[in-house]
C-alpha cells in the first residue's frame, strides 16, 4: 500500500479524482468481467452517499485504493452488499476498509460455474429446522415469515451443483458463531458490524465456511468441469480468492467503525 500512498501524494487529491486517475491500475488487477467505468461509478456513488466514508477517503486515499483494488481483483461491486466500504479509525487515524459481504461470497461461488444455486439462511428460535446428515439431502426449514421468529440460534449454507447434486451442508450453531466472532478484533466495539448487522455476520460466517467445500472464483466461468458436481467435494488445490482478502473466521473489521 505504500507505493499507492506515495503515488497518490504526487497526484491530486479528492477521492473521486483519485478513483478516476487510477482506473488504468484498477483495470490491470480487475477480474475480466469487471467494467471499470461502472466499478468506478459505484465507488464514487458510495462516497457521495456517506460523508464519513468520503472524509476517511479524503484523509487516507491510499486506504481507499487498497480496498478498491481488492474489490476489483475479486470481481465484486464496491459500496454494495457484495463488498462494503466502511470508514474506520485505526490507531486514531481514519481509513477506508473493504469488507467482503456474504452476497460477495455467494457471487464468487456462482462465478466458479459449478453451482446452479446457493442457499444461505439463518435459523431463529421459533423456526422449524430439521437436518440429519445421511438421512436428509438438504435441511428442512419452515418459517413463519409474518410472526415472531425469535432470537438467532444458527445458520446454514449449501449449494446445488449444476447436475442437481447437493454440496456439503454447513450447519452452524451459536457456539460456532461465537468462536468466529471471538476471532474478530473489535467485534464487541460500539460500531462493529457484529453489533450493527448481526444477522448478516451470521450469514457471512456460514457462506465463508461453504466456500471451503465448493469452488469459488473471481472470474466468471461458463464451462463446468464434471468433477465439480461431486457432492461435498472440497474446492481442491486451487486457492480461494478469499484466502488473502477475507481469511476464514477472521472478522471483517479490525478497527472502530465510524458512525
Amino acid at each position: 500500500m505504500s507505493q499507492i500512498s506515495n503515488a497518490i501524494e504526487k497526484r491530486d487529491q479528492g477521492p473521486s479524482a483519485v478513483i478516476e486517475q487510477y482506473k488504468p491500475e484498477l483495470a490491470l488487477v480487475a477480474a475480466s468481467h469487471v467494467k471499470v467505468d461502472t466499478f468506478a461509478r459505484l465507488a464514487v456513488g458510495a462516497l457521495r452517499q456517506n460523508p464519513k466514508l468520503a472524509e476517511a477517503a479524503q484523509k487516507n486515499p491510499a486506504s481507499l485504493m487498497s480496498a478498491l483494488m481488492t474489490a476489483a481483483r475479486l470481481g465484486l461491486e464496491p459500496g454494495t452488499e457484495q463488498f462494503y466500504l466502511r470508514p474506520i479509525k485505526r490507531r486514531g487515524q481514519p481509513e477506508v476498509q473493504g469488507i467482503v459481504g456474504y452476497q460477495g461470497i455467494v457471487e464468487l461461488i456462482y462465478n466458479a460455474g459449478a453451482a446452479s444455486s446457493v442457499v444461505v439462511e439463518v435459523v431463529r428460535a421459533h423456526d422449524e429446522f430439521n437436518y440429519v446428515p445421511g438421512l436428509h439431502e438438504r435441511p428442512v426449514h419452515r418459517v413463519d415469515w409474518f410472526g415472531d421468529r425469535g432470537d438467532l440460534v444458527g445458520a446454514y449454507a449449501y449449494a446445488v451443483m449444476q447436475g442437481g447434486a447437493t454440496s456439503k451442508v454447513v450447519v452452524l450453531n451459536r457456539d460456532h458463531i461465537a468462536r468466529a466472532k471471538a476471532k474478530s478484533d473489535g467485534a464487541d466495539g460500539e460500531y462493529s458490524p457484529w453489533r450493527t448487522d448481526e444477522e448478516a455476520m451470521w450469514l457471512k460466517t456460514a457462506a465463508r465456511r461453504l466456500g471451503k467445500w465448493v469452488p469459488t472464483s473471481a472470474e466468471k466461468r461458463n464451462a463446468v468441469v464434471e468433477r465439480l458436481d461431486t457432492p461435498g467435494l472440497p474446492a481442491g488445490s486451487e486457492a480461494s480468492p478469499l484466502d488473502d482478502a477475507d481469511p476464514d473466521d477472521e472478522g471483517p473489521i479490525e478497527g472502530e467503525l465510524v458512525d
Side-chain angles (χ1 to χ4, degrees):
M1 196 169 79
S2 60
Q3 291 180 344
I4 294 177
S5 179
N6 293 336
I8 286 175
E9 288 177 1
K10 295 178 181 178
R11 295 192 184 185
D12 149 7
Q13 307 25 9
S16 296
V18 168
I19 293 172
E20 183 66 27
Q21 290 168 350
Y22 274 83
K23 284 199 301 186
E25 284 84 346
L26 287 168
L28 286 175
V29 302
S32 60
H33 63 273
V34 171
K35 296 180 179 179
V36 175
D37 286 340
T38 301
F39 181 96
R41 283 196 294 271
L42 287 170
V44 171
L47 294 174
R48 290 174 176 169
Q49 292 171 14
N50 187 334
K52 290 291 186 182
L53 179 64
E55 181 182 357
Q58 178 73 39
K59 293 181 177 179
N60 194 335
S63 68
L64 170 66
M65 292 312 303
S66 179
L68 293 181
M69 290 287 187
T70 298
R73 178 173 59 82
L74 293 175
L76 302 179
E77 297 179 343
T80 72
E81 292 181 342
Q82 290 186 6
F83 192 91
Y84 297 100
L85 295 173
R86 299 212 177 183
I88 67 168
K89 285 186 178 179
R90 195 188 304 275
R91 294 182 290 276
Q93 299 301 314
E95 67 177 63
V96 176
Q97 186 172 54
I99 303 170
V100 180
Y102 87 91
Q103 290 190 12
I105 298 173
V106 171
E107 179 71 10
L108 293 174
I109 292 173
Y110 279 126
N111 285 353
S116 62
S117 65
V118 181
V119 176
V120 186
E121 295 286 352
V122 294
V123 182
R124 292 184 174 270
H126 300 164
D127 296 351
E128 292 182 33
F129 181 82
N130 193 12
Y131 176 65
V132 180
L135 179 62
H136 298 140
E137 182 182 6
R138 302 166 191 172
V140 178
H141 185 198
R142 295 185 176 89
V143 177
D144 179 1
W145 295 108
F146 304 105
D148 177 11
R149 294 181 59 192
D151 295 334
L152 290 164
V153 296
Y156 65 95
Y158 64 88
V160 179
M161 312 309 281
Q162 290 288 352
T166 302
S167 72
K168 179 178 176 64
V169 178
V170 173
V171 179
L172 305 176
N173 59 26
R174 276 186 173 275
D175 288 340
H176 296 130
I177 300 294
R179 287 198 293 270
K181 179 180 177 181
K183 294 182 179 180
S184 171
D185 292 340
D188 293 323
E190 181 179 359
Y191 302 112
S192 166
W194 282 100
R195 285 195 172 190
T196 61
D197 200 355
E198 184 182 20
E199 181 171 317
M201 294 308 301
W202 286 50
L203 291 166
K204 176 178 176 176
T205 303
R208 187 66 181 90
R209 296 287 181 85
L210 179 63
K212 285 185 171 184
W213 293 94
V214 298
T216 58
S217 176
E219 298 285 346
K220 291 188 176 180
R221 298 178 183 174
N222 296 319
V224 178
V225 180
E226 184 176 354
R227 72 173 185 86
L228 298 182
D229 196 38
T230 304
L233 182 69
S237 58
E238 291 185 7
S240 167
L242 288 166
D243 288 345
D244 293 329
D246 189 68
D248 189 31
D249 285 345
E250 295 295 327
I253 196 162
E254 296 177 350
E256 178 187 3
L257 184 65
V258 179
D259 191 6

